[in-house]
Amino acid sequence: MTAADQEKEQGGVMASAADGGGKSDEGTGTGPGDGSEGPGPGDGSERPGAGAGEGSGGPGGGAGAPDGGDGAAKPPLRTSVWQTDQKAARARHRRSTLAATLDRTKIVAAAVRLLDTEGPAKFSMRRLAAELDVTAMSVYWYVDNKEDLLEYALDAVYGELPLPDVSDPARWREQLRALSLAYRTLLVRHPWTSALVGHFLNIGPNSVSFVLAAQQAVQNSGLPLRGQLGGMAAVFQFVYGFGTIEGQSMVRSAAAGMTEDEAIAGAMRTVGELPELAEYVAVSTEMLDARGGSTIADMRNRDFDFALDLLIAGIERMAERAGDESADPSGE
């Protein structure tokens, strides 16, 4: 008898143990996916709010309050899967006789693989169960719903980030560059993360480790305390936007069966045929030629490095200005 067959026989017991059988294969989770699984990021059910990075782009960007209607009852604000009360609730679901063949780590790893290869639109608990060769109900022994699973998956990929040593204040520029490149790589490697960064509180252990490293690097720069969140926002919201566009461009090109160079060359030919955009094409061509680079990837890397240099130079100048003001409060 296979693991899936064993789970099917235990389906009634599982449904009973799972808080009175309140979970179906699909109806409990929320997030990006098919319509049977509820609302997800961007559909109006929850507004991304501001965290340490002021909005969805910065480290620590968290979920906001749900939208309310005229006199309508507001749904309870979702907090985080990492909070103690939710962990206690999930612990009641883990008494499975199949623990040797399935655990939360395996489930989250499979979810990340599916999100990477198939994208969030096709992701569902049923599809995940099929990937694991188990029943959908068995997955609910380890995660309460799809929303929690997406939060686990987001924190899991944050664990891939190589964090620099931020103990030496003199190396703050190097630290910010390393963190920025790591964050950009995450957004490109896992394009589905962009929509989730501002949807969740991002208080999982890996996300928090990244935010703490970013905070320390900005502190090392010498920016005054009142400006440190602004410094983080400038750097990491830039990286968020850059990495999001880069990742989505790669997804779009792959879906069309093209390389990025082929897709963008085709788009430029189309734009070049429109007389009303002649000035735009001329100016863009001049800028592209001056920048140099033989491939889209090469050009994009040059842009990223130059933009990051601008931000770091700005942080350095602002830190110097704060030091001057501290040394001479009169401004004379």
Side-chain angles (χ1 to χ4, degrees):
M1 183 180 292
T2 67
D5 291 334
Q6 289 178 327
E7 290 160 355
K8 289 175 182 178
E9 290 184 1
Q10 296 170 359
V13 177
M14 290 180 179
S16 175
D19 291 338
K23 292 183 172 62
S24 66
D25 280 358
E26 298 294 332
T28 313
T30 59
D34 56 44
S36 64
E37 298 190 54
D43 65 0
S45 62
E46 285 191 287
R47 283 198 310 271
E54 286 297 315
S56 63
D67 291 329
D70 294 338
K74 295 182 179 180
L77 177 64
R78 186 184 188 280
T79 52
S80 173
V81 71
W82 300 102
Q83 291 195 301
T84 304
D85 57 341
Q86 294 195 32
K87 286 186 177 181
R90 289 192 306 279
R92 297 195 299 270
H93 295 227
R94 296 177 185 157
R95 299 183 295 275
S96 173
T97 59
L98 299 172
T101 60
L102 190 66
D103 57 37
R104 196 178 75 196
T105 300
K106 293 179 181 177
I107 291 170
V108 173
V112 170
R113 287 197 304 272
L114 285 176
L115 288 163
D116 285 345
T117 57
E118 299 183 2
K122 295 182 179 179
F123 182 77
S124 71
M125 298 297 267
R126 282 198 188 97
R127 178 68 186 89
L128 175 64
E131 177 76 8
L132 292 165
D133 193 25
V134 299
T135 63
M137 179 56 70
S138 66
V139 175
Y140 289 118
W141 284 100
Y142 303 94
V143 291
D144 280 355
N145 50 56
K146 180 180 172 182
E147 188 88 339
D148 286 0
L149 180 55
L150 290 172
E151 190 171 3
Y152 280 130
L154 180 61
D155 194 68
V157 297
Y158 267 89
E160 300 173 4
L161 295 174
L163 301 181
D165 179 1
V166 292
S167 60
D168 184 358
R171 302 179 68 181
W172 67 269
R173 300 170 189 80
E174 176 185 332
Q175 295 157 10
L176 276 181
R177 287 192 177 93
L179 288 164
S180 297
L181 179 59
Y183 191 33
R184 174 192 173 194
T185 300
L186 180 148
L187 292 163
V188 173
R189 183 182 297 160
H190 308 288
W192 51 271
T193 59
S194 295
L196 300 182
V197 169
H199 185 66
F200 296 117
L201 290 177
N202 297 336
I203 56 173
N206 295 318
S207 178
V208 168
S209 294
F210 175 70
V211 174
L212 288 173
Q215 289 174 339
Q216 186 60 56
V218 171
Q219 289 174 13
N220 289 344
S221 71
L223 278 177
L225 186 60
R226 67 180 183 276
Q228 288 177 10
L229 283 180
M232 287 183 65
V235 172
F236 293 103
Q237 288 197 38
F238 152 69
V239 178
Y240 173 84
F242 195 101
T244 295
I245 293 173
E246 181 178 7
Q248 294 304 316
S249 174
M250 294 175 71
V251 168
R252 185 171 59 252
S253 300
M258 300 180 179
T259 66
E260 269 201 288
D261 291 282
E262 292 170 339
I264 292 177
M268 291 300 293
R269 284 194 298 271
T270 299
V271 171
E273 295 171 357
L274 301 174
E276 63 271 25
L277 294 180
E279 182 181 359
Y280 164 77
V281 171
V283 174
S284 297
T285 300
E286 184 180 9
M287 295 174 69
L288 289 169
D289 290 344
R291 175 181 58 184
S294 57
T295 66
I296 294 300
D298 185 30
M299 295 177 188
R300 190 175 279 136
N301 288 337
R302 293 186 184 202
D303 287 345
F304 183 84
D305 291 342
F306 188 80
L308 189 57
D309 284 345
L310 286 177
L311 290 168
I312 289 176
I315 290 174
E316 185 171 15
R317 180 66 190 99
M318 293 295 286
E320 290 174 352
R321 180 187 299 177
D324 293 342
E325 291 174 353
S326 176
D328 185 7
S330 67
E332 296 178 357

